[in-house]
Every structure is written in structure tokens, then in C-alpha cells.
Amino acid sequence: MTRSRSLTVRPAGRRALLVELPDAERTAAFHAEVLRRRAAGTMPPVEEIVPGARTVLLDGVPDPQALARGLTEWEVPRGAPDDGEVVDIAVRYDGPDLEHVAALWGIAPEEVAARHTSRTYRVGFCGFAPGFAYLTGLPAELHVPRRTTPRTRVPAGAVALAGPYSAVYPRATPGGWQLIGTMPDPGPLWDPTRERAALLTPGARVRFVTADALTAAGGTT
Amino acid sequence: MTAKLTTVRAGALTTVQDSGRRGHAHLGVPRSGALDATAMRLANRLLGNDPDAAVLETTLTGCALRPDHPVTAVVGGAHCPVTVDGRPVAWGAPVRVPAGAVLNVGTATAGVRSYVAVAGGITTEPVLGSRSTDLLSGLGPGPLRAGHVVRVGTPARPVAPAVAVPWPGPPGELVLPVRLGPRADWFTPSALRTLTSVTYRVSPHSNRIGLRTEGPPLERATTGELPSEGIVLGAVQVPPDGRPVIFLHDHPTTGGYPVVAVVAEPALAAAAQATAGTPVRFTPG
């Protein structure tokens, strides 16, 4: 195990390293640095770059030990970069758990939309299903627990909260998150025939806007 | 003229597989691909195909196919009886299947997954660069059902002259070389000794996502939850019941249970052929 300042490098088999960071913000910063170095051609070859909640997995690396030594020399800027593209997602705040979440937040149900749309989120990582993005950016006082009993079917387009994350379900699956709303047209979230299959990729920034607001502004829902 | 294969009998689980999808794990897309990549490549080579051309992967009970034009096929991987219109033909070597005849891939007599390669390769529409069926996330063609038709490409090269080739047999005992994984420190020293000193057995609940094992549970040194993190192929993940699960090709790309060790990728082909009850030993390596 190699320790340098704030990162811990853990081996993950013969061809991979799991780089662990202290928090989501420094994970985002490290992930951005990996992408920057790869784009600049100064990264050793790596097949998969998979961010997690506090980690970045570098898989398909010919010489992980050499890369691990190199990582200790990296200067990674502090703070999550704020230059990711911004994606707007139109939401109708009509989820079956809206009242429950409002109670947990100590506000009226009709105020949930204002709270949820008032900040910019960042795709920390993806997983669970193709196109399912874990969005960071909710302050600690708005974190909510998962449901005690998961639903057997959460519809595609459901806008959901769990722990520190917001997410939108790209397709119908079982799920234990609190459902606060609906993305009326979830089709763009995942389309493997499109050049960029996933709408929300790690590092992208996301704003939720009320579907009504978009209509009023002349957009489409 | 390219051929079409009609599925006469789909078997327990028959899927289209090639070498899988690379470079999309960060979007939640598993690698997928043939679990016994060695068998897939060998079958393709015998036909003059690209080694990674798409094939059909069966599970225990084989399948039956009827081409509308003559094709040359190789059935390899798990040992099984192979017939054309009821007449026994060679396993593990090229066989000619006339138009309208039924190629039957019988129930495996040893191993789990047989591979049906056809000269020209299976040419279903690729998704994200691969024709593989991904059972976890539902990418690629769905598992074959009776009546399904798959297309075959034009053979690029003549079929290799008939030669005897050594097919690896299925493991009587599955020996998996492992290195300690990223979360080995979440387990007690005694659990780490147990992992490499005890014989586990393959659980019947194994599938393309993971090879589950039965044996003594591995004791955790830490409690609490692990934030979701990226997982490699061959990761030995330990769920709360303590029984190691070896992640195979359709495994989720991120997960929240600790990975105690990682199996070297070349050993996973044998893992794909280990039937329920097969002894499993994890050895340092």
C-alpha cells in the first residue's frame, strides 16, 4: 500500500489499482486529473477508469506497480473541478415519497422542489444499471435513508434520493430509494445506439429544473 | 449467401457471446463476453474465424439449431454429445450441417458451458462494440428462445484442415490463484488464512454474474458499510453471509461489499466450467 498526502493506493489483482481518497470532493478532483492526464497523453495505458464514492479504479494497467509509484508524485488540485458540462433535467415533483422526504427535511411537500432544484449536482459515479448516475451535491442535512422495504419496481424516469445521492432511474428496476419526482422523458438517459450512450457521465454537472418551469420558458417537457 | 440459424431448442440458457465490451465500466456497463474465452477462441480458430468472433454459449443442457444454408460449425467447451439430424458427429472439431438439418448440442457430460461456433461467426447487431448478451444490464441480444433466428456472417477463410487439438477438460478441482484484494484489511488474519487453506465448493446458485461458493464464512475485522467502488473481473467479493463470490463477466461494475482477493483472469475459463459441488481452492499467486 502506498500513501501519499491524501491518497491510498490499493492493489486490485495483477492489472488494476484502486485509488482511495478521503472524500467525494477529492475523489472528483483525482478523477478529473486522471482524465486530464489521459487526454494529454501523459497517463500509462489504462482500459477502464471507474470512479466510486471515495475511489477511482484504474483497470487494465500493464504495470500497476510502476503506476502506483508514479501516483505518489502527482500534484492533484484541491476541490472538485467546476468545468464539467451542465445537463438540465426536467422533473415533475410528484413522487410517492415526496411527503415522507418533506417530513424528513422538516418542510412542506410543495417546498421539496425548490430545495432540490436550488443547487448544482455532480455525477460522482455510475453503476447499478447502465446510465444510472450517483449525483453528489446534497448538503448533509438533506441526506435521507433508503426505504426500509425496497420497491419491486421503480418506474423509468423516477427521480430519487438515498443517503448523500440523487439519481434518476434510466429503466424500470427494483429499488430502495425515496422517490420524489418524475423525469417525464427518461429516454435520453441511456441510449446505446447514440455515440454517447449515457446522458450523465462521471464528472458532468446536473441541474434539476421543474418541468413546469421549462414549459413556461418555452422549453419542451 | 449468408445463413440464418433457427433455434429449435434454446436449452436452459443460450446466449450470443464474443470477447465483450471494454471501456464502458464507468457507465455501469459490465464487460460481458464468453465465460470460457479459451473455448470460444479455440472453436473459432478451427473454423478460420477471427478468434473473438461471436459464438453461442450454452448452459448445461445445450441447444438445437437449424441452418437455412449449409454451415460448418464447431461445438466445444463443455463435453457433450453432438448430432446432426440424429446422427452422432464430432465434438470439438468442424462438422458440416446441411441446409435444413438440425445440429443438436446435447446435455453437458462434463463442464457447464458448450460453445457453438459457426464459420463466418454470429452477426447479431453489435451494441457498444460487442454482440455479447449482458444478463445483468440487458444489453445485446436477449437469451435465445425457440423460434429465434440468428444470422451467420460470410466465412473469411477456409476452415482449417482437420487436426486434433487439445481441449482443456473441465476441472475436477478448481484451483484459483489469487492475490489479496483492495479490502483484504476488512477481514481478520484468520479469515485470510481460511481463504487460502480451506476447500470451498461451487454453489448451484452460480451464474454469469458470479461463481458462488459454499464453505466456512470469512470473518470481518471491520463492521460498517463500504461506499460503492469499482470492481474488477475476478474479484472475490464477500457479502454479509461471509461466503466468497468470484465475479464473472456479467458482474456489476461497482459494488459495496469488500473484495478480499482477486483471481487471475486466465483461471476464470476453468471457473466457467466448474459444476455445482466442484471443490474450489484459492492459492496464493
Side-chain angles (χ1 to χ4, degrees):
Chain A
M1 212 172 291
T2 312
R3 287 176 192 282
S4 160
R5 297 178 200 91
S6 62
L7 62 81
T8 305
V9 182
R10 295 170 177 272
R14 299 175 190 208
R15 285 172 46 83
L17 299 173
L18 187 71
V19 183
E20 187 174 27
L21 291 307
D23 55 41
E25 195 182 313
R26 274 176 281 192
T27 304
F30 179 78
H31 178 240
E33 181 68 16
V34 172
L35 297 184
R36 199 156 40 234
R37 286 175 184 248
R38 186 170 65 167
T42 57
M43 257 306 272
V46 53
E47 210 164 71
E48 305 276 7
I49 299 166
V50 189
R54 300 278 184 279
T55 56
V56 178
L57 174 70
L58 303 173
D59 191 10
V61 179
D63 188 349
Q65 285 176 340
L67 177 57
R69 285 192 296 273
L71 287 175
T72 62
E73 308 299 321
W74 281 26
E75 294 290 339
V76 180
R78 281 294 290 265
D82 57 4
D83 54 353
E85 66 165 319
V86 181
V87 180
D88 282 345
I89 291 184
V91 180
R92 278 198 317 260
Y93 286 86
D94 59 359
D97 300 320
L98 190 69
E99 289 196 15
H100 181 58
V101 168
L104 290 169
W105 286 0
I107 59 173
E110 49 277 16
E111 294 175 77
V112 168
R115 288 279 172 97
H116 195 239
T117 56
S118 68
R119 54 196 77 247
T120 301
Y121 301 82
R122 169 176 293 277
V123 179
F125 61 103
C126 296
F128 178 63
F132 187 97
Y134 292 76
L135 303 172
T136 60
L138 269 187
E141 65 271 18
L142 298 185
H143 296 178
V144 297
R146 283 178 170 74
R147 287 168 52 84
T148 39
T149 310
R151 289 186 170 85
T152 53
R153 186 178 183 280
V154 172
V159 177
L161 305 177
Y165 304 113
S166 294
V168 192
Y169 283 73
R171 62 181 187 140
T173 57
W177 292 34
Q178 309 277 357
L179 309 185
I180 59 169
T182 308
M183 179 183 180
D185 176 16
L189 285 172
W190 176 254
D191 178 359
T193 65
R194 197 171 51 197
E195 189 179 315
R196 284 188 46 189
L199 179 66
L200 308 180
T201 55
R205 288 180 295 163
V206 175
R207 284 185 310 217
F208 291 105
V209 295
T210 58
D212 294 347
L214 263 194
T215 311
T220 56
T221 56
Chain B
M1 197 63 158
T2 60
K4 292 193 283 255
L5 303 176
T6 300
T7 308
V8 176
R9 182 177 64 80
L13 175 67
T14 301
T15 58
V16 177
Q17 297 296 342
D18 56 18
S19 57
R21 301 182 174 83
R22 309 288 178 105
H24 305 287
H26 62 292
L27 304 179
V29 175
R31 181 189 299 189
S32 200
L35 291 196
D36 185 345
T38 308
M40 172 189 75
R41 296 202 173 102
L42 189 46
N44 275 326
R45 285 210 181 92
L46 286 170
L47 292 168
N49 286 349
D50 180 280
D52 296 320
V55 300
L56 298 177
E57 177 184 282
T58 72
T59 313
L60 290 169
T61 57
C63 68
L65 306 159
R66 181 192 291 120
D68 67 344
H69 285 79
V71 296
T72 306
V74 167
V75 178
H79 288 257
C80 63
V82 183
T83 61
V84 172
D85 269 352
R87 280 190 297 277
V89 295
W91 174 93
V95 295
R96 192 80 176 149
V97 186
V102 173
L103 170 70
N104 190 68
V105 180
T107 294
T109 53
V112 176
R113 295 173 171 96
S114 299
Y115 290 86
V116 188
V118 183
I122 305 291
T123 58
T124 56
E125 197 60 35
V127 178
L128 297 176
S130 165
R131 298 185 162 93
S132 288
T133 303
D134 164 5
L135 294 175
L136 183 76
S137 47
L139 298 182
L144 290 196
R145 294 184 194 290
H148 267 191
V149 174
V150 291
R151 287 178 179 277
V152 177
T154 308
R157 288 181 287 278
V159 171
V163 286
V165 295
W167 285 87
E173 180 187 48
L174 187 57
V175 178
L176 299 176
V178 292
R179 291 192 181 173
L180 286 183
R183 300 296 171 188
D185 57 348
W186 279 50
F187 296 86
T188 62
S190 143
L192 296 180
R193 280 194 301 275
T194 299
L195 179 71
T196 51
S197 61
V198 164
T199 300
Y200 286 83
R201 286 188 184 277
V202 173
S203 155
H205 301 296
S206 301
N207 55 26
R208 282 187 46 88
I209 294 169
L211 187 83
R212 291 171 187 277
T213 63
E214 292 167 347
L218 298 180
E219 191 194 354
R220 290 254 293 254
T222 57
T223 52
E225 288 203 24
L226 183 67
S228 279
E229 59 191 26
I231 304 175
V232 297
L233 179 64
V236 182
Q237 200 194 51
V238 183
D241 72 6
R243 267 83 183 190
V245 179
I246 300 128
F247 270 0
L248 301 180
H249 289 58
D250 285 0
H251 75 83
T253 58
T254 58
Y257 296 135
V259 170
V260 65
V262 179
V263 175
E265 194 176 323
L268 295 177
Q273 298 295 4
T275 50
T278 301
V280 184
R281 280 194 300 119
F282 297 96
T283 60

